[in-house]
Amino acid sequence: SKCVRNAADAGGAMRPRSPLPAATNLSRCATPSGNVAGTGGPPGAKVAVLQKIVSMQQEISRLEVEVEEVHRQLEKERAKNTVSFSHPSGDAEDLDRLAQQLSSAGVELPRQEELAMCAQSSREGRGAKTLEDLHREVRQSLSKVSIVSGEVLRSVDMLQICLVCRINGDYFCLLERDCFDMSTSERRGFTMPLRRKVRLGDDWRITLRKTLEEKVCIDPEMQDAMLQVDEESYIASQTQEASSDYPQLQTVTQLHQIVVRVNFKRAERANLSLDVLGLPGGHDFVTREVCADGRQRLHVWCWTNREQERLELVGNFGKYLAARGVDVSRFGKGAMKSLYQFYVEVHEHRESTLQELRDPAGSQKFELLRTVSLLEVRVVAEVGFRKLMLTSSDQYLDDGRRRKVSQLFAYKLRYGENWRDVMPRAFSERLNMTESIQKEVFELDQESESYKETIRWSTGYPIRTCYKVVTVTVRVKNPSHDALHEFGLPDGSSFVSQEGRLGPNQRGRLHVWTWTSMEGESRDHMFSTSYEELCRTLQDVEDLVLQTTQLAQAESLGLDAPLAQSLEKIQACLANITDIDSMIGEVDMRALDSKADPSERLTADLMDFIVSNYTRNDTLAARGHFTRTASHVSCTDGSEDVQKRPSMDFIEAGIDDWGFDFFEMKTRVEGKILQSYGAVLLGRFANKLHCDTDVARAFLDKLASLYIDNPYHNAMHAAQTCHLALWISKSISLYKVQSSLERVSCIIAALGHDVSHFGRNNAFCISTLHPLALVYNDHQVLENMHAATCFKVLYSSDSVNVLAALAPQDRQQVRTQIVEGILSTDMSEHFQAISKFRVRLDGPDFTFENPMDRRLLAQLCLKGGDIGHSTLPWGIHVQWSQRVVQEFLEQGDDERRMGLPVSAMCDRQASADLGSSQRGFITFVCLPLFEALASCTEGIAHPVPKDTAEEASKPESDEEQNMGMRPTGSASSRWTARRREAADTPVQKVLVTALHANASRWLEDTAVVERLREEL
């Protein structure tokens, strides 16, 4: 329109043969060259365009004049059909004129003389008033009567005051029960809130003060001292219906509703007596009102529970919501709360506010936004060497319903409240904990305050809600404080608290509280098996019994001996349960046989047969660590056994670099990744194995030839896994205390852990009845196949068997560790392995001197190497991720062709979020493993096997010194008592930090995610 007006201005001033001035005024319509936009012709064409624009502006002006004329005609017609009696005079002629106008519209109201002459005492229509009553209220500006198009409309502004106070813990509202007219002795019985008509043109606030003063006899000074007007509760609504006073008329009522609260504390400070209002007991009382016309009325007031008054208020509140697009029919259905509960929350408790948002399209529609402010408190306590956090697990409402909540301590803030002022009240109401006890046992973490704001649809009400959440941390100073016994401390047990009064419609509730592991405490919150919880519970019981034995009363009561015996049994149980494999897998038949009757004891041959075939026969556990033989001489990390090649220099330079790029290495070694990388590693141990380097190369060539060129599970993945597993073992100093053959076992297991993998997982093999699944009985199908294939290669010929020269017992130990290592890469036992390691780590006798502990840790290092690409630099990690997803999708294609259900994350047609899925894998699968490994950085200096003592005494290599892998001294009797923060450890600084960074990048780097989607 601006363009058209500019054109009109220009056209009015231009001359037909001089277009330049017009072009100057039409800067918005001209191109940089000076031509009118859309034209490029000669000046005559420009003039034609401008003339066309001028004619359009003239047509618009003409239409605007016509529209204004139509509006004037409509207003005149409306005025002809409208008669207003808003300010009549008080004479009889005016009363007659009002009666005539009403009669012309078909409305007949009785006069007072007619009623006096009538024998009947009742009026026409129950509660109906006379013409004089209507004339009087119009004259007093309490209503306005209009006749619009032949229909009589009476307009009234009505103020409804909800005077609220709290009596005995519940909210009561002041209602008028009776009204007596002293001049006529008329009694009007009703029960309704305090109401009064608002004079036309007056503000409802003025009427509010007058009404309280005249009808309830609360003078202005008293109002200021004891009453609080809740303007946030104000609701304005409009209705049109036939009223009970004038059933012949349609009455348009503009209703103003407001809540006024009685503040007892302010009244006490002002030394006001509330007896005249029936308070604080809530008794009935009577007031006298002198009307403007001199009449006197007596009002009988009563304090009643708000249910009756609320019914009307809630109805009006529902109309208000419906007029603003809220589907009120959904209240009270399913999980939705009732409209009544919503009303109480907004207008009585003020725990939420409503904001009207105008439709951005410019229409007159509004959208309501509910805003809730929440205080969220992390209550943290140190219980049994663990940090526990208080959470609400269940709530039982006053109607018997149970709600599963599983949330932190949360409390709604009322409008305008500060969380610091509210927190003591919240603990008092929810936990029944006095403020004095709170000061003794709680300490606020001043730097823990955080704020977040989210907008989403509420689960309790059919309305969009903005949640403003303030989160703070409160720490328990002393969990053993006597006042905390009823709150589940110091043993960390669950407890129940009562909020409010229980009973029908009392809105009380029961809270079930639970102490749970704190998020961020070694990420134990990710998962926790029942086995771990059992161990933790036993540790807590041990601590409790130990604390009890230290009490002075224990000895005087004669409990010291029973407690000592109990503690001894618990400690023995802990010692056994922390070594779960020995506990459930090993049976000491000889010990059992020694307890049997001599006549029933087994022969030696039968004993050996039973032990060999019917119990776990762990050769390494039975014989201890590797024996010292001729094949075990001091090992150096030099490469004197390796025949140097130019391509090997690149590998040697990156052998201790976590981010070593195998994609670049592939181009340097012409695709022979596993052979080249394996030759560097095994060549260092050729003298230990008593084999020639040619044998090692032959083994690697044959092993590499059995790797299939899958996108992910290929020879390069095997070399990458070996590299990462060794880096982890060095970073936690496991490599330093391992024997030479233990290191060789880890290298061979890593290089062969996916040999002959065909790009499909165990679930695919089982669901398709693959021959391998039938051979291995659906148990660790691929892992068993990889281990078997690896040893088929080794035992196929002496020319490839790098273990051939070992002593038989040592060869068996190496085989045991290789098989265990490969089987440990089965992801179906991922969390069980981490759980077992955590429990073993917390055991009282965990030590690197124990070969079983070294084996368990070596298996976790191999698992870390298997999924370790998630810790690599972003560019390398993305390439590996693309390969693994591609392999998953190819499996899904096969499943679809075979008519099988497509496995999760394998459906090419599904619109899965690649970034979120990769981030979830890192967060929930990778992080728990690497953080468990990071926690094993302390206390790793233990006595080492004899064959590595000489090597351990040598100076550390430069890379090991830089990685912080120095011995830390002897371990104490309990791991959890000596464990420190792992923030400065290599695993934490390098791996865990990289995991967090890559997880974030999957959500932030949308360009990479989109590119991968297109390529896949």
Side-chain angles (χ1 to χ4, degrees):
S1 62
K2 290 181 180 179
C3 188
V4 173
R5 292 191 181 95
N6 290 339
D9 295 340
M14 76 176 184
R15 294 190 299 271
R17 296 186 181 276
S18 180
L20 293 178
T24 301
N25 291 330
L26 286 173
S27 59
R28 294 178 180 267
C29 301
T31 63
S33 62
N35 295 330
V36 176
T39 69
K46 301 175 185 176
V47 174
V49 172
L50 294 175
Q51 290 175 343
K52 182 67 173 177
I53 293 175
V54 171
S55 64
M56 291 171 58
Q57 174 62 22
Q58 293 172 349
E59 180 66 18
I60 291 173
S61 299
R62 186 184 63 82
L63 291 175
E64 289 177 349
V65 172
E66 290 184 1
V67 170
E68 291 177 0
E69 181 61 26
V70 170
H71 279 292
R72 282 195 294 270
Q73 294 295 332
L74 289 175
E75 289 297 328
K76 290 181 180 179
E77 188 67 24
R78 181 180 181 86
K80 292 180 181 179
N81 297 326
T82 301
V83 179
S84 178
F85 300 95
S86 57
H87 298 285
S89 62
D91 55 17
E93 294 182 1
D94 188 71
L95 182 63
D96 294 338
R97 188 164 54 253
L98 174 60
Q100 291 175 5
Q101 294 291 342
L102 294 177
S103 179
S104 64
V107 176
E108 297 289 343
L109 290 179
R111 297 198 178 202
Q112 288 183 352
E113 58 269 20
E114 295 176 3
L115 293 178
M117 295 172 60
C118 184
Q120 297 179 351
S121 60
S122 62
R123 297 174 181 167
E124 294 180 17
R126 184 178 180 182
K129 292 189 177 181
T130 64
L131 180 64
E132 286 79 5
D133 294 329
L134 179 61
H135 183 263
R136 186 184 306 109
E137 72 175 27
V138 171
R139 191 174 69 247
Q140 295 174 358
S141 299
L142 298 177
S143 68
K144 181 176 70 174
V145 177
S146 303
I147 301 177
V148 180
S149 300
E151 182 181 10
V152 179
L153 294 179
R154 171 175 171 259
S155 300
V156 178
D157 275 16
M158 184 71 70
L159 174 64
Q160 179 168 295
I161 305 171
C162 303
L163 188 58
V164 179
C165 72
R166 196 163 187 175
I167 301 174
N168 296 327
D170 205 352
Y171 287 96
F172 284 73
C173 178
L174 184 65
L175 299 183
E176 185 176 6
R177 192 173 63 190
D178 288 294
C179 178
F180 296 91
D181 191 329
M182 303 297 291
S183 59
T184 62
S185 300
E186 179 185 1
R187 174 183 178 270
R188 297 186 64 183
F190 46 75
T191 303
M192 60 185 301
L194 178 57
R195 279 191 174 191
R196 187 162 191 172
K197 293 187 181 72
V198 180
R199 292 175 62 90
L200 298 178
D202 282 358
D203 185 76
W204 61 266
R205 296 172 181 83
I206 299 175
T207 306
L208 183 145
R209 296 182 68 87
K210 290 182 177 179
T211 304
L212 292 172
E213 180 180 7
E214 296 174 0
K215 296 190 70 172
V216 195
C217 298
I218 305 177
D219 59 64
E221 181 181 353
M222 195 173 182
Q223 294 180 34
D224 296 335
M226 59 172 285
L227 300 184
Q228 181 180 357
V229 180
D230 184 5
E231 297 207 12
E232 292 295 326
S233 67
Y234 173 77
I235 300 178
S237 58
Q238 182 173 304
T239 60
Q240 179 177 332
E241 59 187 359
S243 69
S244 58
D245 291 339
Y246 302 98
Q248 302 91 334
L249 304 179
Q250 283 290 313
T251 300
V252 179
T253 303
Q254 182 74 23
L255 182 62
H256 308 270
Q257 301 178 75
I258 189 69
V259 174
V260 179
R261 305 177 188 276
V262 178
N263 192 319
F264 287 108
K265 291 184 179 180
R266 289 170 58 180
E268 288 179 9
R269 287 196 294 267
N271 295 322
L272 296 177
S273 175
L274 302 182
D275 292 340
V276 294
L277 300 179
L279 295 176
H283 306 296
D284 295 356
F285 63 98
V286 179
T287 60
R288 181 190 300 268
E289 177 191 12
V290 180
C291 303
D293 57 4
R295 292 183 299 170
Q296 295 186 10
R297 294 176 181 170
L298 291 179
H299 301 278
V300 180
W301 305 96
C302 61
W303 293 99
T304 63
N305 196 285
R306 301 200 59 190
E307 300 305 322
Q308 293 181 343
E309 172 262 341
R310 281 170 174 158
L311 295 178
E312 183 177 357
L313 293 178
V314 170
N316 294 331
F317 182 59
K319 295 176 183 178
Y320 169 80
L321 296 177
R324 285 150 182 80
V326 179
D327 186 2
V328 294
S329 63
R330 295 179 57 192
F331 282 102
K333 293 182 179 179
M336 292 290 175
K337 298 181 183 179
S338 66
L339 178 62
Y340 168 78
Q341 290 174 301
F342 192 29
Y343 172 83
V344 171
E345 176 190 283
V346 174
H347 293 290
E348 295 185 5
H349 295 170
R350 296 183 299 167
E351 293 174 342
S352 66
T353 58
L354 297 178
Q355 180 182 0
E356 294 183 352
L357 303 179
R358 189 178 294 275
D359 189 347
S363 67
Q364 296 300 317
K365 294 182 178 179
F366 290 87
E367 179 190 8
L368 282 182
L369 179 68
R370 171 175 171 255
T371 301
V372 177
S373 297
L374 291 174
L375 170 63
E376 195 174 65
V377 184
R378 293 192 187 96
V379 183
V380 181
E382 296 274 354
V383 177
F385 307 106
R386 291 179 293 139
K387 288 184 179 180
L388 298 186
M389 185 166 52
L390 185 64
T391 59
S392 176
S393 58
D394 295 280
Q395 290 180 5
Y396 292 87
L397 306 183
D398 57 354
D399 56 3
R401 289 182 297 135
R402 176 191 178 192
R403 289 178 57 198
K404 293 285 291 182
V405 287
S406 300
Q407 63 182 15
L408 296 177
F409 183 98
Y411 192 85
K412 285 183 180 179
L413 301 179
R414 296 176 181 175
Y415 179 78
E417 287 184 328
N418 184 285
W419 67 265
R420 294 179 183 274
D421 300 329
V422 171
M423 190 160 60
R425 184 182 76 222
F427 282 126
S428 178
E429 292 183 4
R430 291 284 170 86
L431 297 180
N432 302 321
M433 181 184 292
T434 63
E435 292 190 23
S436 60
I437 294 179
Q438 295 178 36
K439 293 178 181 179
E440 290 182 27
V441 301
F442 287 156
E443 180 181 12
L444 175 64
D445 186 348
Q446 300 291 345
E447 299 180 356
S448 65
E449 181 181 357
S450 63
Y451 177 82
K452 65 179 179 180
E453 186 172 320
T454 57
I455 296 179
R456 56 182 171 84
W457 282 95
S458 169
T459 57
Y461 301 115
I463 186 172
R464 280 205 319 146
T465 302
C466 174
Y467 293 94
K468 300 179 179 180
V469 183
V470 177
T471 304
V472 296
T473 298
V474 171
R475 304 188 185 280
V476 179
K477 298 178 184 178
N478 179 18
S480 300
H481 194 286
D482 292 340
L484 294 178
H485 292 332
E486 59 182 298
F487 302 105
L489 293 177
D491 55 349
S493 58
S494 301
F495 63 96
V496 179
S497 67
Q498 176 181 327
E499 179 183 9
R501 292 190 300 172
L502 300 179
N505 301 320
Q506 295 297 322
R507 298 186 298 279
R509 63 185 60 190
L510 294 177
H511 298 272
V512 180
W513 302 95
T514 305
W515 293 97
T516 59
S517 296
M518 184 177 177
E519 183 175 354
E521 187 73 7
S522 299
R523 297 195 70 86
D524 288 345
H525 69 285
M526 278 298 185
F527 67 91
S528 183
T529 63
S530 300
Y531 174 56
E532 285 183 274
E533 291 299 329
L534 174 61
C535 293
R536 289 172 181 166
T537 302
L538 281 174
Q539 290 173 357
D540 292 343
V541 172
E542 179 191 15
D543 296 333
L544 286 173
V545 175
L546 186 61
Q547 293 172 11
T548 307
T549 58
Q550 297 172 354
L551 296 177
Q553 299 90 333
E555 184 175 359
S556 61
L557 294 175
L559 297 177
D560 51 341
L563 287 173
Q565 294 177 1
S566 300
L567 185 61
E568 182 180 353
K569 291 181 180 294
I570 293 172
Q571 290 173 341
C573 183
L574 271 172
N576 289 330
I577 201 170
T578 50
D579 190 359
I580 186 66
D581 286 333
S582 299
M583 186 178 71
I584 66 175
E586 295 182 0
V587 180
D588 192 344
M589 290 297 301
R590 291 177 173 81
L592 293 176
D593 186 52
S594 64
K595 299 177 182 179
D597 187 89
S599 61
E600 298 177 355
R601 290 183 178 175
L602 304 175
T603 64
D605 292 340
L606 184 57
M607 172 68 71
D608 291 340
F609 174 80
I610 294 177
V611 170
S612 301
N613 294 276
Y614 294 93
T615 66
R616 172 180 280 183
N617 184 20
D618 197 321
T619 55
L620 183 60
R623 300 172 184 170
H625 55 75
F626 285 106
T627 58
R628 191 174 165 85
T629 65
S631 63
H632 298 127
V633 296
S634 293
C635 173
T636 65
D637 279 346
S639 55
E640 62 273 13
D641 294 324
V642 181
Q643 184 177 351
K644 284 284 187 178
R645 301 179 186 176
S647 60
M648 299 301 183
D649 295 337
F650 176 72
I651 301 176
E652 289 283 359
I655 200 74
D656 291 309
D657 178 13
W658 172 259
F660 184 64
D661 191 347
F662 278 83
F663 292 101
E664 181 181 354
M665 174 186 167
K666 183 177 181 181
T667 61
R668 291 175 178 262
V669 299
E670 300 177 351
K672 296 185 177 181
I673 300 177
L674 189 142
Q675 299 95 312
S676 302
Y677 188 80
V680 172
L681 295 180
L682 290 181
R684 298 179 175 185
F685 297 95
N687 62 337
K688 305 291 184 182
L689 300 173
H690 284 286
C691 72
D692 191 83
T693 55
D694 291 336
V695 176
R697 290 195 181 95
F699 165 68
L700 294 171
D701 285 336
K702 190 165 186 179
L703 188 68
S705 68
L706 295 178
Y707 269 94
I708 302 173
D709 190 20
N710 300 309
Y712 181 78
H713 291 96
N714 49 39
M716 182 164 62
H717 166 67
Q720 176 81 81
T721 299
C722 183
H723 176 78
L724 302 182
L726 289 180
W727 193 96
I728 297 172
S729 66
K730 290 179 181 179
S731 70
I732 62 176
S733 294
L734 173 66
Y735 190 84
K736 183 180 291 295
V737 298
Q738 281 181 313
S739 68
S740 299
L741 291 187
E742 285 176 331
R743 298 173 184 174
V744 170
S745 301
C746 293
I747 293 171
I748 296 177
L751 294 176
H753 83 283
D754 273 335
V755 63
S756 295
H757 199 298
F758 48 90
R760 304 296 179 265
N761 60 22
N762 283 332
F764 179 88
C765 296
I766 296 171
S767 62
T768 59
L769 297 179
H770 194 281
L772 289 175
L774 302 179
V775 170
Y776 297 112
N777 298 315
D778 296 344
H779 179 66
Q780 296 183 304
V781 177
L782 292 175
E783 289 73 26
N784 275 301
M785 182 268 290
H786 300 323
T789 304
C790 184
F791 279 97
K792 285 180 182 178
V793 172
L794 281 170
Y795 295 156
S796 62
S797 171
D798 288 343
S799 62
V800 298
N801 189 357
V802 296
L803 308 179
L806 293 178
Q809 66 270 28
D810 290 341
R811 188 164 54 246
Q812 181 60 40
Q813 307 311 317
V814 173
R815 170 173 164 78
T816 299
Q817 288 205 37
I818 293 174
V819 171
E820 286 181 347
I822 295 177
L823 294 183
S824 71
T825 61
D826 180 11
M827 290 301 294
S828 67
E829 298 184 358
H830 179 76
F831 294 106
Q832 291 91 324
I834 300 174
S835 175
K836 183 191 297 184
F837 174 69
R838 286 175 180 167
V839 173
R840 182 63 194 141
L841 201 62
D842 286 339
D845 58 345
F846 179 83
T847 170
F848 278 26
E849 184 180 5
N850 185 348
M852 299 300 294
D853 290 336
R854 294 200 303 274
R855 285 166 60 182
L856 177 61
L857 195 52
Q859 294 167 21
L860 258 70
C861 292
L862 182 54
K863 289 179 69 66
D866 195 20
I867 61 175
H869 74 83
S870 55
T871 68
L872 294 175
W874 174 247
I876 302 176
H877 167 54
V878 168
Q879 295 184 66
W880 282 114
S881 298
Q882 182 177 6
R883 287 169 171 264
V884 72
V885 173
Q886 179 182 347
E887 194 170 292
F888 285 167
L889 297 181
E890 291 177 359
Q891 174 176 318
D893 295 340
D894 283 354
E895 290 172 335
R896 181 172 282 103
R897 282 193 297 269
M898 300 172 69
L900 298 173
V902 179
S903 301
M905 305 305 298
C906 297
D907 192 350
R908 194 183 299 272
Q909 300 176 2
S911 57
D913 190 335
L914 179 61
S916 296
S917 63
Q918 293 299 315
R919 179 181 181 274
F921 176 79
I922 292 175
T923 304
F924 293 98
V925 177
C926 301
L927 265 176
L929 173 61
F930 286 100
E931 290 189 332
L933 288 168
S935 68
C936 189
T937 307
E938 300 295 333
I940 46 77
H942 303 275
V944 299
K946 294 181 180 180
D947 67 318
T948 57
E950 179 183 353
E951 180 182 356
S953 64
K954 291 183 178 182
E956 295 175 304
S957 62
D958 292 339
E959 65 271 14
E960 289 176 337
Q961 292 179 6
N962 293 334
M963 292 165 59
M965 296 182 292
R966 295 183 178 275
T968 59
S970 60
S972 64
S973 62
R974 185 162 186 151
W975 180 270
T976 52
R978 67 172 179 254
R979 185 170 64 187
R980 301 199 306 262
E981 292 292 334
D984 295 330
T985 63
V987 175
Q988 185 73 28
K989 288 196 299 185
V990 179
L991 310 190
V992 176
T993 301
L995 284 170
H996 285 293
N998 288 340
S1000 300
R1001 286 287 294 272
W1002 278 113
L1003 296 184
E1004 297 169 357
D1005 202 338
T1006 55
V1008 169
V1009 175
E1010 196 60 35
R1011 175 179 62 80
L1012 292 182
R1013 279 204 198 97
E1014 294 176 357
E1015 294 178 0
L1016 292 171

